[in-house]
Amino acid sequence: MPTSKVRKRYWITLGIMIALALVFGAGLLAWDNPMPVGSEGFWIIAKMRAGSILTMAVVAACQAIATVSFQTVTNNRLLTPSIMGFEALYRVVQTGAVFFLGIAGITFFTGIGQFALQVAIMVALSVALYGWLLSGKLGNIQIMLLVGIIIGTGLGSVATFMQRMLTPSEFDVLTARLFGSMTNADMSYMPLAIPLMLVAGGYLVASSKKLNILALGKETTINLGINHRREVMTTLFFVSILMAVSTALVGPLTFLGFLVATLAYQLADTYDHRFIYPMAFLAGFVVLAGSYFIMKNVFYAQGVVGIIIEAVGGITFLIFILRKGRL
């Protein structure tokens, strides 16, 4: 932020985003609540709705911090961590459960133990991929991304094959799990999801100055005395934790991270991660909470919010490419 005008604009924008987040959060709690305001019944209903708001906050933090960090270490603002196959692995796990166990397979992968298992599998796969493809003299991020795309495509094909073998009733039950939705989250997951998000997200936020240097490129990072490979692998490890938590919690949200990161860079107008992270988190929460509030109370179609976010994110992605990175 080189000038006072830029700093002023940032803080005004941040204040507006905080106000929007509070308005949409309060709206989800109180709007269309049939009980009188302040009554015991009102707070019971509000407490039930608070779980969805907490889920949105966790998902927004995971997606925002993970995507901004991933784009920094890959030096490419067109990429998201989803390219590493997290969503494809989630689809394989969920589809495989129904394919081998029937409709009861959905209940098999519910509970904090199963949630921890899904997160562990996703993190283990990504760490093995990073360690293998970033080690040695020929290791580089471009090869890692290419192999990640291939693995994700392969896992997606496996999931599609199993889905075609399901009965219509089994497929209908499975489909509800394969679209990102806040209703997929279980509050029993939060004692594990929140600490993981705080640890991984806290480390990346605390490493903002190092990420600012990593954004300058490998050669500059090494010349400034920082171990580039170690920092990249550490960042990718915590990114994988955040993405695994978000995906296992609510399901695939492929373009949410890209949409949030793009908005954050446009609104913050800086490359300093200390200022981008808060803006990205607020943008993510406003997008999720605002979408759910509008679709629930205006169009009465809250179940399609995830699809709409993906559609808007995909359109933003295409606009970014067509404008040749001038955003």
Side-chain angles (χ1 to χ4, degrees):
M1 295 187 180
T3 65
S4 59
K5 181 179 180 180
V6 175
R7 289 192 294 269
K8 183 178 180 180
R9 178 179 176 273
Y10 173 84
W11 292 113
I12 291 176
T13 304
L14 188 68
I16 293 174
M17 296 300 291
I18 292 174
L20 288 174
L22 292 175
V23 167
F24 285 126
L28 289 173
L29 287 176
W31 191 271
D32 200 28
N33 191 321
M35 305 302 293
V37 178
S39 64
E40 182 178 356
F42 175 87
W43 290 114
I44 292 175
I45 295 176
K47 184 178 179 180
M48 295 172 60
R49 296 180 176 181
S52 297
I53 297 177
L54 177 62
T55 302
M56 293 177 192
V58 173
V59 171
C62 289
Q63 292 278 344
I65 297 175
T67 304
V68 171
S69 303
F70 188 80
Q71 290 180 347
T72 297
V73 297
T74 57
N75 197 24
N76 192 323
R77 285 176 53 189
L78 290 174
L79 299 178
T80 70
S82 302
I83 201 173
M84 302 308 297
F86 290 103
E87 281 82 1
L89 181 60
Y90 174 85
R91 291 189 178 97
V92 168
V93 171
Q94 296 293 327
T95 305
V98 177
F99 181 80
F100 291 107
L101 302 177
I103 295 179
I106 290 291
T107 60
F108 178 78
F109 275 96
T110 58
I112 191 167
Q114 290 80 353
F115 173 76
L117 177 61
Q118 291 187 72
V119 172
I121 293 174
M122 293 180 190
V123 174
L125 177 64
S126 60
V127 170
L129 188 64
Y130 303 152
W132 172 42
L133 296 175
L134 292 180
S135 61
K137 296 181 180 179
L138 299 179
N140 60 72
I141 291 179
Q142 286 72 29
I143 294 178
M144 180 197 72
L145 295 175
L146 179 60
V147 174
I149 294 173
I150 294 173
I151 292 176
T153 303
L155 292 175
S157 299
V158 172
T160 301
F161 172 76
M162 289 190 291
Q163 289 170 18
R164 292 184 180 277
M165 303 294 289
L166 300 177
T167 64
S169 59
E170 291 174 338
F171 183 77
D172 288 341
V173 173
L174 175 64
T175 301
R177 300 286 298 180
L178 296 183
F179 286 105
S181 174
M182 299 301 116
T183 58
N184 289 340
D186 190 328
M187 288 300 102
S188 64
Y189 300 164
M190 291 304 172
L192 179 60
I194 292 177
L196 287 175
M197 181 270 293
L198 291 176
V199 171
Y203 176 87
L204 293 175
V205 172
S207 302
S208 294
K209 293 183 178 180
K210 290 183 179 180
L211 289 171
N212 291 340
I213 298 175
L214 287 175
L216 300 176
K218 182 177 180 179
E219 290 76 13
T220 303
T221 302
I222 295 175
N223 290 335
L224 291 175
I226 295 178
N227 189 324
H228 181 268
R229 178 176 176 275
R230 182 183 64 190
E231 293 300 329
V232 167
M233 291 193 66
T234 303
T235 301
L236 291 175
F237 170 70
F238 286 110
V239 165
S240 67
I241 293 177
L242 292 174
M243 289 302 299
V245 169
S246 173
T247 305
L249 191 63
V250 300
L253 290 170
T254 306
F255 285 106
L256 175 62
F258 173 81
L259 176 62
V260 167
T262 302
L263 288 174
Y265 279 110
Q266 296 301 304
L267 295 174
D269 195 22
T270 179
Y271 291 91
D272 193 333
H273 289 73
R274 293 175 298 175
F275 301 103
I276 294 175
Y277 281 138
M279 191 68 74
F281 165 69
L282 289 171
F285 184 81
V286 168
V287 167
L288 286 173
S291 300
Y292 270 82
F293 178 81
I294 293 173
M295 296 304 297
K296 177 183 177 181
N297 297 290
V298 177
F299 297 101
Y300 304 100
Q302 63 198 51
V304 301
V305 170
I307 301 175
I308 292 175
I309 291 176
E310 295 296 278
V312 174
I315 293 172
T316 305
F317 179 79
L318 293 176
I319 293 174
F320 191 96
I321 293 177
L322 293 175
R323 293 189 62 178
K324 299 180 180 180
R326 286 178 290 171
L327 283 175

